[in-house]
Amino acid sequence: MARKSTPTFTEDERAAMREHATEVRSSASRRGSKADKAAEDAQALLEKIAEMADEDRAMAERVHAIITENAPELAPKLWYGMPAYYKGTKSVCFFQPAQKFKTRYSTLGFNDDAALDDGNVWPVAYALKTLTAADEARIAALIKQAIG
């Protein structure tokens, strides 16, 4: 009896992987100085934010501002088609718009290079519905902690 196979990845996940492959190829093929490449990466990130639906765009713009104000040493760059912020070659954090995987909230996520360790268990992703001043202060503190 033949077994039915189920897809390992959703179409949205496969699209994100294709976006990442395109980002890697584009980055590898670019000529110019490090500063030129960084400016192109930052521009690509801003263009991706501009393409987002209204609620995601407003949230992404605010998160971008908080990160760039509190951690100017992080380099903005796309990661799987999402805004991300790098320390060297490592993605420290990213913004996942709700629209990306059709979820009910956006996500601010941190990768394993973020210095958020707190005992044996700590959060690495935060759901974002709206941002109050207190939420923005919390995000700023998380970003500062993440970069060490």
Side-chain angles (χ1 to χ4, degrees), residues 71-103:
E73 64 271 37
L74 292 181
K77 188 175 178 178
L78 292 176
W79 182 69
Y80 292 91
M82 298 177 285
Y85 302 85
Y86 282 69
K87 187 174 184 179
T89 61
K90 304 289 184 174
S91 172
V92 174
C93 62
F94 61 91
F95 175 82
Q96 179 182 300
Q99 184 180 19
K100 180 86 174 165
F101 296 112
K102 299 170 185 70
T103 59

Side-chain angles (χ1 to χ4, degrees), residues 13 22 24 62-63 65 77-78 87 122 124 146-147:
E13 291 167 331
T22 300
V24 170
R62 194 62 208 125
V63 168
K77 188 175 178 178
L78 292 176
K87 187 174 184 179
W122 60 90
V124 294
I147 60 173

Side-chain angles (χ1 to χ4, degrees), residues 54-75:
D54 291 345
E55 287 182 21
D56 284 337
R57 184 177 56 254
M59 185 81 63
E61 288 171 345
R62 194 62 208 125
V63 168
H64 176 71
I66 293 166
I67 292 171
T68 56
E69 289 167 12
N70 289 281
E73 64 271 37
L74 292 181

Side-chain angles (χ1 to χ4, degrees), residues 5-130:
S5 66
T6 57
T8 305
F9 297 104
T10 67
E11 183 53 40
D12 291 333
E13 291 167 331
R14 284 192 295 275
M17 288 185 279
R18 284 189 299 271
E19 281 184 283
H20 184 61
T22 300
E23 293 158 10
V24 170
R25 280 191 304 273
S26 173
S27 180
S29 68
R30 275 193 250 142
R31 304 274 184 238
S33 70
K34 252 184 155 176
D36 289 342
K37 289 180 181 183
E40 289 176 21
D41 287 338
Q43 184 60 37
L45 180 140
L46 293 174
E47 289 170 4
K48 183 60 77 170
I49 289 173
E51 294 171 2
M52 293 178 186
D54 291 345
E55 287 182 21
D56 284 337
R57 184 177 56 254
M59 185 81 63
E61 288 171 345
R62 194 62 208 125
V63 168
H64 176 71
I66 293 166
I67 292 171
T68 56
E69 289 167 12
N70 289 281
E73 64 271 37
L74 292 181
K77 188 175 178 178
L78 292 176
W79 182 69
Y80 292 91
M82 298 177 285
Y85 302 85
Y86 282 69
K87 187 174 184 179
T89 61
K90 304 289 184 174
S91 172
V92 174
C93 62
F94 61 91
F95 175 82
Q96 179 182 300
Q99 184 180 19
K100 180 86 174 165
F101 296 112
K102 299 170 185 70
T103 59
R104 63 185 181 89
Y105 51 80
S106 297
T107 304
L108 175 62
F110 292 88
N111 291 316
D112 61 336
D113 287 299
L116 296 178
D117 303 40
D118 183 17
N120 293 318
V121 178
W122 60 90
V124 294
Y126 296 83
L128 306 175
K129 291 282 286 172
T130 60

